[in-house]
Amino acid sequence: MADSSFDIVSKVERQEVDNALNQAAKEISQRYDFKGVDASIKWSGEKIEMRANAEERVKAVLDIFQSKLIKRGISLKALDAGEPEASGKEYKIFASLEEGISQENAKKVAKIIRDEGPKGVKAQVQGDELRVSSKSRDDLQAVQQLLKGKDLDFALQFVNYR
């Protein structure tokens, strides 16, 4: 019988992020505590730009955006938000989305699988993803549970299970 396998990736669905951003913008425009503080959230190239006239307000905009991402099933580990920066009379936060597993993170995950995973499970790095294969599907599911239990500092998804 052929080996079963799955891929470990770190991807963010852009459309879901866009939907969360639009929901956050709508909530900001309608909420009473944001009246007159000139708060906004929008795409600025590949980054997300949040602005308001006070540091606390711009942090509140970020908080609203994060809650919308969670509701849409996007891990906050994929969002890399900077610190509030003063720019004239307003404050800005720039946030970016991290996609792909870096080489060092892929090696870290492969080491966890080698050291703590079931015997006979192989992990190999393929670009910005990781292919995990084994003869036993139960071993692959055990690897998924092992990785879900680990507190890694980046988001993981399991795809192409076959």
Side-chain angles (χ1 to χ4, degrees):
M1 189 174 131
D3 281 5
S4 299
S5 69
F6 68 89
D7 294 335
I8 301 174
V9 297
S10 182
K11 289 193 169 48
V12 177
E13 202 170 314
R14 175 89 179 201
Q15 184 61 51
E16 288 297 325
V17 174
D18 212 30
N19 291 343
L21 187 125
N22 291 336
Q23 285 179 337
K26 186 174 183 181
E27 183 174 324
I28 290 163
S29 71
Q30 293 175 345
R31 267 182 42 177
Y32 179 75
D33 57 336
F34 282 108
K35 293 281 186 253
V37 296
D38 210 24
S40 68
I41 181 170
K42 64 180 183 190
W43 285 104
S44 174
E46 283 297 303
K47 292 184 181 254
I48 298 160
E49 179 184 350
M50 293 158 264
R51 53 174 66 200
N53 64 1
E55 189 172 349
E56 298 80 39
R57 289 286 122 219
V58 77
K59 285 182 179 177
V61 170
L62 175 62
D63 193 45
I64 290 170
F65 182 53
Q66 287 175 333
S67 71
K68 299 299 179 191
L69 287 175
I70 291 170
K71 282 184 183 170
R72 295 211 152 263
I74 297 171
S75 172
L76 292 182
K77 292 178 180 176
L79 182 73
D80 182 26
E83 289 299 311
E85 304 167 6
S87 158
K89 290 184 177 177
E90 63 183 10
Y91 286 84
K92 294 180 182 178
I93 294 179
F94 288 99
S96 60
L97 298 167
E98 293 181 10
E99 291 193 290
I101 302 175
S102 68
Q103 287 289 2
E104 64 187 53
N105 287 339
K107 287 177 184 171
K108 219 185 292 183
V109 170
K111 183 171 177 13
I112 291 171
I113 293 170
R114 248 192 340 270
D115 295 348
E116 302 174 33
K119 298 286 176 246
V121 176
K122 295 186 285 293
Q124 60 196 85
V125 179
Q126 296 180 328
D128 62 351
E129 58 185 48
L130 200 66
R131 165 84 34 100
V132 180
S133 58
S134 172
K135 293 208 181 302
S136 163
R137 287 180 168 241
D138 291 342
D139 287 351
L140 293 179
Q141 289 175 341
V143 167
Q144 286 182 355
Q145 291 305 316
L146 170 73
L147 293 175
K148 284 178 184 173
K150 293 288 178 192
D151 186 29
L152 301 168
D153 54 351
F154 52 97
L156 293 180
Q157 292 87 33
F158 306 110
V159 296
N160 296 341
Y161 190 79
R162 46 179 101 107

